[in-house]
């Protein structure tokens, strides 16, 4: 699938630009895998939020955010992950983070997000 495309067929046209965030959503054994590529900052909060939150009529969401392609994350991304975690938890679902690069993982650890949202070394 080309950069900026999502498994649901709707692409983010701005995502093809270097550094911009692109998302791809797939479902594997009932678990939504949201693969992210690019930078996570205040310019992509809406894109990230939309990618992480399932439709309102969906069953309890089980979501893994694949961070292997994320090259930068600031507090805006942290806030979106906290919001998404709270939203899916209140719907009896869960959110997991996986395969973060060293620099991104360090940010998650410094702010303690890895204590709130489980972080895994790989998606599988």
């Amino acid at each position: 699938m080309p950069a900026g495309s999502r498994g649901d067929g709707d692409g983010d046209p701005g995502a093809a630009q270097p550094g911009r965030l692109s998302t791809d959503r797939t479902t594997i054994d009932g678990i939504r895998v949201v693969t992210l590529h690019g930078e996570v900052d205040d310019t992509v909060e809406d894109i990230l939020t939309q990618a992480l939150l399932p439709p309102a009529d969906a069953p309890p969401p089980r979501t893994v955010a694949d961070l292997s392609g994320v090259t930068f994350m600031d507090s805006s991304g942290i806030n979106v992950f906290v919001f998404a975690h709270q939203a899916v938890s209140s719907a009896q679902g869960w959110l997991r983070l996986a395969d973060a690069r060293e620099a991104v993982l360090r940010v998650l650890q410094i702010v303690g997000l890895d204590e709130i949202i489980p972080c895994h070394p790989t998606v599988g």
Side-chain angles (χ1 to χ4, degrees), residues 11-91:
D12 172 17
Q17 301 169 3
R20 288 281 301 173
L21 183 69
S22 66
T23 63
D24 181 49
R25 288 180 267 181
T26 58
T27 301
I28 302 169
D29 296 329
I31 298 171
R32 295 175 69 241
V33 178
V34 179
T35 303
L36 307 172
H37 295 278
E39 297 178 357
V40 178
D41 58 23
D42 65 332
T43 65
V44 299
E45 285 177 289
D46 292 339
I47 294 167
L48 181 57
T49 300
Q50 290 173 4
L52 292 174
L53 297 180
D57 60 347
R62 298 181 302 159
T63 305
V64 174
D66 177 355
L67 305 180
S68 61
V70 175
T71 56
F72 172 83
M73 183 182 303
D74 69 10
S75 62
S76 302
I78 300 298
N79 290 333
V80 170
F81 282 118
V82 169
F83 173 77
H85 169 70
Q86 291 171 338
V88 299
S89 294
S90 68

